[in-house]
Amino acid sequence: MSTLTLANKNKRFRGQNQFEPEALYSLRKESWNCFNDLDMPHRANHLWRYTDPKVLLANNPSELMKITPSLPDQTEYNLISLDEAFSGYGYNRSDYMTFAKLTPALEKSGVIFKDLLSATRENEDIVGKYLGNLIGSDFGKFEAMNLALWNTGLFLYVPDNINIELPIRLQRHPSGPNTFHRLLVVVGNNSKVTLIDDYSGECRKEEAQINSVVEIFAGDSSSVKYLNTQRYSSKCNSYITQRTRINKDAKSVSVFAGLGGNVSKTNAGTVLDGPGANSQLYGIVFGDDNQHFDYHIVHHHTSSNSYSNIDFKTVLKDNANSASTGLIRVEEDALNCEAFQVNRNLLLNEGAKAESIPELEILCDQVQCSHGATISPIDKEMLFYLMSRGVAYKDAVNIITLGFIEPTIKNFPGELETLTRELITGKMEG
Amino acid sequence: MANKNRILSVNDLHVEVEGKEIVKGVSLQINSGEKHAIMGKNGSGKSSLAYALSGHPNYKITSGTVEMGGQDLLEMDATERSLAGLFLGFQYPMTIPGVTVVNFLRAALRARNGNGIDMKNFRKVFKEKMKLLKIDNSFATRYINDGFSGGEKKRLEILQMVMLQPKVAILDETDSGLDIDALKIVANGIVDSAPKDGGVILVTHYQRLLDYIKPDKVHIMLDGRIVKTGGPELALELEAEGYNKLEAKESQKVGV
């Protein structure tokens, strides 16, 4: 069943994308066809049980035809100065306002950081190999749409044996009624990088849609730390799909902080694709008002002797609601893996609702797995205990809430911990 | 009757829990510097009285009055009662994951707006008091009661009392679950640090705590009422005779 009746205007689409190399155009065309061929996700599908896909699709599909990727205007590039706390800074609105900057030392080391459209022309060998490889047009309707229409993107390439000590910060904003972000990261063997992927800003129109795809490829013995913060204004509906693939002995730490937006759906995960691969996935959602969060978190073990852990916490107040589905999938030939997940939800008042569904798809016999989920209202006896020491009700609620997320947040890598803590306290204090 | 030494005055207090009357008319007058023990069997209403005085929302006060230092306690919520100088040492202290002891105490002291330990001296006083109660320094950064033994929890209750310097401290079965060494430490902590010109209410089953803390008055609670009040000798008498004998006597009196 397709509810979207959008004519396939390939010709016009091509005409507007004259800067793109042929390979990218083919990829877009193919993805566009996939998008049109795929039915809207059915609500009976477990991934879409909690969020209506229509909310994430523009009411007026003809608007999609106005999406015009264009080469960025480099004049602003030289105006931005790099904060000394960071190794790089990428800014992303619509493509002509996309820029990326690295410290001069890193530029010399062979690290490439630029807007994705330029990279498709200038670094076709790398981009061609990886773009759409983890999240391609067969991933799902919305992912196909992104690969067809992405209109603002960034590309980071870290060669082998490079340790980028300070984080690279990305600031991503919506523009117009449809924003299609795309981020491609390729990290070489034995290299280290920390990325802060910060989504914020206002959607001026009620129906503004944001669709973002993040693909991260991490080589042998590499380390990737990725923080995804979503703090859109209250009118934004967003759908973010993220995957990291880590090879032999590589380490990935991903943190998702869901704070903003109206309807926010995220499908994030790590593919453990080599022995010794180790992935930690953390999430903290703080919802209030009428916010809706839907997080699907995945650990996919395709290799033996790989290790993963999911620790996801949700706090909801007012009439906010959330669904958390955590999937551990271990392939038949992926032996001796360890995979754990826990999802805890704290409801601060009666109107708030949470659902938590841990999922296990274990296809092999030799595996160590565990999962746990809890949903509980704020403990009245804890509140009384704190109040009996002179702490006001509101402060007691905040102390318990911060205590609830503390055991999770304290495991975050230093720079990510500080930032996440600031964002959460900021939201709690309104 | 005005008594300027009177620090806590409970008059004919009735308390209901889930529609059932648990405290059936308790009166208690505590003067500055006094220590009172309330003794009684399980289910006699001792802990309910303690909770009700501290403002637990499940304990509904149906009639009676409570005044502390001239203020109407029943008008206040649990926070306000604490700020006014009331302290409850819990029989079963709560575990609060993710909140460290030191941060919690800072928050509690900050809420007092300077009425208590000067924040500048916080660290010094905190360390001193931990030493006094033989609490290892590492407890400061542990989560409140998380993985604490029974004795450690009770010591932490007393540490909080010491730090918050209340006017009236109600210690609800602080002695239960303590071995003899821990009991001595806790009792010494109470004797050393209990408010000198304030009041202490020791709620207990057993005489043994009173070996270390000599009460000025002993009250015996039975079925929601104080049925007998006396000096320290009453606790010894009770220890020798047991609650059942007393219960039988009192039942006869009221003609049950």
Side-chain angles (χ1 to χ4, degrees), chain A residues 379-393 399-400 402-404 406-407 410, chain B residues 51 55-56 78-79 82-83 87-88 90 94-95 97-99 104 108 111-112 143 145 157 160:
Chain A
D379 190 313
K380 291 205 166 69
E381 298 303 321
M382 277 191 203
L383 277 174
F384 175 65
Y385 190 67
L386 294 178
M387 288 174 73
S388 78
R389 298 327 187 218
V391 177
Y393 176 83
I399 287 175
I400 292 170
L402 285 174
F404 173 74
E406 180 65 28
K410 74 166 191 194
Chain B
Y51 270 123
H56 192 296
T79 305
S82 169
L83 297 180
F87 179 86
L88 173 65
F90 283 63
M94 294 302 296
T95 296
V99 182
F104 169 45
R112 285 167 161 70
Y143 300 151
N145 292 319
E157 292 297 290
Q160 293 178 51

Side-chain angles (χ1 to χ4, degrees), chain A residues 222-341:
Chain A
S222 64
S223 158
V224 176
K225 293 171 189 164
Y226 174 80
L227 169 64
N228 178 304
T229 55
Q230 192 276 91
R231 48 195 185 111
Y232 284 129
S233 73
S234 59
K235 282 180 187 168
C236 296
N237 296 333
S238 63
Y239 181 43
I240 300 174
T241 310
Q242 185 272 355
R243 283 293 180 278
T244 300
R245 190 179 76 201
I246 52 173
N247 293 351
K248 184 173 175 284
D249 294 323
K251 197 170 189 308
S252 161
V253 180
S254 299
V255 176
F256 291 83
L259 303 166
N262 176 34
V263 172
S264 309
K265 183 169 168 65
T266 300
N267 178 343
T270 304
V271 182
L272 296 100
D273 201 29
N278 184 318
S279 173
Q280 308 290 318
L281 259 166
Y282 299 106
I284 294 195
V285 169
F286 192 111
D288 61 9
D289 206 359
N290 288 306
Q291 286 186 302
H292 170 84
F293 291 94
D294 178 349
Y295 273 83
H296 181 61
I297 300 290
V298 181
H299 266 142
H300 187 182
H301 292 254
T302 57
S303 167
S304 296
N305 302 303
S306 51
Y307 313 95
S308 73
N309 185 42
I310 294 171
D311 182 354
F312 206 94
K313 295 246 168 97
T314 304
V315 181
L316 300 172
K317 65 187 258 194
D318 306 328
N319 292 307
N321 67 84
S322 88
S324 312
T325 49
L327 169 68
I328 297 173
R329 183 178 168 95
V330 183
E331 294 299 331
E332 199 175 347
D333 52 356
L335 303 175
N336 305 318
C337 291
E338 288 177 15
F340 309 107
Q341 66 164 318

Side-chain angles (χ1 to χ4, degrees), chain B residues 5 7 10 32 53 57-58 61 74 80 85 95 140 143 161-162 177 201 204 206-207 210 213 219-220 237 244 248-249:
Chain B
N5 287 330
I7 190 150
V10 180
S32 167
L53 290 176
N58 288 0
I61 289 163
L74 303 185
E80 292 161 339
T95 296
Y143 300 151
M161 179 192 83
V162 171
I201 301 174
T204 180
Y206 305 109
Q207 147 68 21
L210 308 181
I213 307 170
H219 310 274
I220 293 170
E237 192 185 311
N244 288 341
K249 272 193 221 164

Side-chain angles (χ1 to χ4, degrees), chain A residues 157-170:
Chain A
Y157 171 72
V158 184
D160 292 350
N161 306 312
I162 302 276
N163 180 8
I164 303 180
E165 278 176 19
L166 296 171
I168 293 176
R169 179 171 180 231
L170 313 180

